Amino acid sequence: MRNRRPAAVAAVLATATAVAVALTGCATSSTATPDSTGSAEGDAQTVTVGIDIPFHPLYAYLTAKSDEIFADSGYDIDFEVLDATTLVPSFGRGDIDIVTTVPSFQPRIKDQYGIDTQFFYPMARWTPGSELYVAGDSDIQSIEDLAGKKVAIPPLATRFGAEEAAVLATTGETIQDYFELTETDAAAQELTLGRADAAFIEAPATAPLIEAGFRPVYNVQEAFEEEFGDPAVLSGGFIASNEFAEANPEVIDLIVQATQDVWTQFQEDPDSVLTVASDETGIPVEQLELVSQILNLAEMPDDQKIVSETDVATWSAIFPLLVEAGFLTEEPEDPASMFIVTE
């Protein structure tokens, strides 16, 4: 965590929560893919991208500028914010063409909706991801010291499997077996009140803990790097069905290129992106700037702003861990087919 103001970070959380609540159930999506129903002859055809992160600066910029960015593309590409609980079901029903989620949910989408999917552009990586925090005066120095100890974590049903895979990779045991685990929406409070020896927390909620003298002893990204040699494991990004991606490669290319261009613009002139994103979301620029720090948007190197063969190899190794941990019911038959590697 790099010199972030806890009060300002708390404001980010409060604002983001308010935005998410305000948008819950409000986003509607009626879409026609270019190769199916479409619009009247001569009109741009609609492609709908569903997102659940209204405070991500790059998403917000794309949402605000989509008409301008894709004006001459022959497509009307709409970015719509949906509540996190309805995003994937909307994709499963076919209400949206492209969804933003994590690779660990791709097998779940296949299992629940029978849809094969491909991940084609990253918008976040686990750096450092969820961390195990302990009291500053605790004698606990590592995850090894927490074997059998009380650990609090947000409900696993609301998570993406990262903690489950990381703990299994590190210890050889499931998260439930290795710790005396408490699943709660108040994991940080369990720690601060002394009812847990440690808690899995991630930024920006780590800021007040750091301010209060709590410290991390383990994080998801370091576990994955030690296990797989991957310095920044791919997490959230754009996903489309195989059917859509294969029928509409030009749409995939358009979105990848547009996102790369916006990300480059952000890294060269962040205010030009943050100002537009703020106007779109109603979130102050300084709070969006803090979000960008948490997501490491400014410092992300070019080789991590793509889907790479390293990403494919890492996720091919993570999927079996997620099955063993109980997050998934079975491994994907061909993990490599679930990613469109950026050329």
Side-chain angles (χ1 to χ4, degrees), residues 27 63 107 163 169 247:
T63 301
E163 297 93 345

Side-chain angles (χ1 to χ4, degrees), residues 27 31 40-41 79 86 101 119-120 132 142 183-184 190 229 231 237 247-248 261 297 303 315 323 335:
T31 180
E41 185 176 356
F79 291 82
T86 61
T101 189
F119 188 112
F120 66 89
L132 272 173
S142 68
E183 297 182 50
T184 171
E190 289 293 298
N248 304 284
D261 289 347
L297 298 181
D303 64 357
W315 274 98
V323 173

Side-chain angles (χ1 to χ4, degrees), residues 27-107:
T28 58
S29 177
S30 178
T31 180
T33 57
D35 60 320
S36 54
T37 50
S39 54
E41 185 176 356
D43 291 342
Q45 297 182 20
T46 300
V47 174
T48 306
V49 183
I51 60 177
D52 68 344
I53 312 176
F55 48 89
H56 191 303
L58 302 189
Y59 284 141
Y61 187 94
L62 287 167
T63 301
K65 294 286 191 177
S66 60
D67 288 348
E68 177 183 327
I69 292 170
F70 302 106
D72 300 322
S73 69
Y75 296 93
D76 179 10
I77 299 182
D78 291 337
F79 291 82
E80 297 188 355
V81 176
L82 286 81
D83 177 66
T85 61
T86 61
L87 180 69
V88 170
S90 293
F91 179 73
R93 290 192 303 268
D95 294 340
I96 56 179
D97 300 297
I98 294 168
V99 66
T100 57
T101 189
V102 293
S104 57
F105 270 41
Q106 290 178 262

Side-chain angles (χ1 to χ4, degrees), residues 287-320:
Q287 294 181 19
L288 289 173
E289 197 279 328
L290 283 170
V291 172
S292 74
Q293 290 182 36
I294 292 162
L295 295 173
N296 199 34
L297 298 181
E299 299 179 12
M300 193 79 72
D302 288 345
D303 64 357
Q304 292 177 10
K305 293 189 296 180
I306 61 172
V307 179
S308 69
E309 294 289 357
T310 297
D311 296 324
V312 176
T314 297
W315 274 98
S316 295
I318 289 176
F319 286 130

Side-chain angles (χ1 to χ4, degrees), residues 138-149 178-179 197 217:
S138 171
D139 59 0
I140 294 168
Q141 301 299 322
S142 68
I143 190 172
E144 286 77 15
D145 297 328
L146 283 165
K149 298 290 182 65
Y178 191 76
F179 303 120
D197 299 295
V217 295

